[in-house]
Amino acid sequence: EIVMTQSPATLSVSPGERATLSCRASQSVSSNLAWFQQKPGQAPSLLIYGASTRATGIPARFSGSGSGTELTLTISSLQSEDFAVYYCQQYNDWPPTFGGGTKVEIK
Amino acid sequence: QVQLQQSGPGLVKPSQTLSLTCAISGDSVSSNSATWNWIRQSPSRGLEWLGRTYYRSKWYNDYAVSVKSRITINPDTSKNHFSLQLNSVTPEDTAVYYCARVGTVVGATGYFDYWGQGTLVAVSS
């Protein structure tokens, strides 16, 4: 199965700053990658699919890029509600697999 | 708007069966495009996909290798829900369990666009 590795594990960012999260795949996932946001006590929520397409209602400050084995989620200007854990998920190969997550915390 | 509402016990004894149900509103378990999935999350295993059920002129199920000998996912068209049964549980099965929908299968499996609220299931005597 494809192993997804996210880095860093924790990212300390000040409100208004840019955050860049990395997701690396053990083999190519093409653009078949989704990003999720999870807040404490809640289920993960879809942010991005197809590596770069924002889900319905997701603000433009969230953007996804990359393909193959190196993919990135960028939050252009962090708002208070963006401090959370972010996961990537590949759906290019069987079974679907998730990364270990990046926690974005307030600096 | 699709909503998934989970129900089931939060405590199961070792060697017994974990049973959860996911009620669907805003879509149909018999959809010809969606798949209906169970995923769990624990500190030790992270987010782990467990299995799915879906309808394409007939019913299909797929399961993760790690639980394949112990898991059953069943649809119930009369109640528009689907269920998870995990047999012979151990403390390692303690996790938050989620049901989730894939709206349209793209790539090999699709991405999870709607999730249930999650159920913390502890396996303990």
Side-chain angles (χ1 to χ4, degrees):
Chain A
E1 67 180 44
I2 296 179
V3 177
M4 307 300 292
T5 303
Q6 291 186 242
S7 61
T10 304
L11 187 59
S12 298
V13 186
S14 299
E17 289 189 339
R18 182 186 195 92
T20 302
L21 289 66
S22 174
C23 178
R24 177 174 292 178
S26 61
Q27 62 192 76
S28 176
V29 299
S30 185
S31 294
N32 292 316
L33 186 105
W35 289 95
F36 298 88
Q37 178 191 71
Q38 187 176 34
K39 296 180 179 178
Q42 297 183 15
S45 176
L46 179 66
L47 290 174
I48 300 276
Y49 61 91
S52 61
T53 303
R54 284 187 300 276
T56 303
I58 301 303
R61 64 180 181 273
F62 291 92
S63 63
S65 62
S67 66
T69 61
E70 300 280 348
L71 299 105
T72 301
L73 175 69
T74 301
I75 312 171
S76 60
S77 177
L78 272 156
Q79 307 298 302
S80 57
E81 62 267 29
D82 300 336
F83 292 96
V85 181
Y86 293 84
Y87 294 95
C88 58
Q89 177 238 329
Q90 69 81 20
Y91 50 96
N92 193 65
D93 197 14
W94 186 266
T97 50
F98 295 85
T102 292
K103 181 180 181 180
V104 178
E105 64 176 25
I106 300 174
K107 187 174 182 180
Chain B
Q1 175 77 349
V2 175
Q3 291 187 321
L4 304 177
Q5 180 68 39
Q6 299 177 217
S7 59
L11 180 64
V12 182
K13 289 182 167 50
S15 79
Q16 295 193 343
T17 298
L18 180 161
S19 296
L20 297 173
T21 298
C22 182
I24 304 163
S25 58
D27 200 348
S28 170
V29 72
S30 303
S31 165
N32 275 297
S33 59
T35 70
W36 305 96
N37 300 261
W38 287 98
I39 296 162
R40 67 183 177 183
Q41 184 175 31
S42 65
S44 58
R45 301 173 78 103
L47 285 160
E48 179 185 16
W49 176 83
L50 298 176
R52 67 179 182 177
T53 189
Y54 60 99
Y55 185 76
R56 302 289 187 268
S57 302
K58 68 175 186 176
W59 289 102
Y60 295 87
N61 289 298
D62 298 302
Y63 301 127
V65 170
S66 61
V67 294
K68 192 169 186 176
S69 62
R70 302 191 290 130
I71 190 173
T72 304
I73 296 176
N74 282 323
D76 184 330
T77 57
S78 66
K79 296 179 180 177
N80 201 31
H81 74 202
F82 63 108
S83 62
L84 166 70
Q85 287 193 310
L86 188 65
N87 302 324
S88 305
V89 296
T90 72
E92 286 67 45
D93 293 310
T94 294
V96 177
Y97 286 76
Y98 295 101
C99 58
R101 186 191 84 157
V102 166
T104 303
V105 175
V106 291
T109 64
Y111 53 88
F112 306 102
D113 55 2
Y114 290 95
W115 296 62
Q117 81 274 23
T119 302
L120 174 59
V121 179
V123 178
S124 175
S125 53

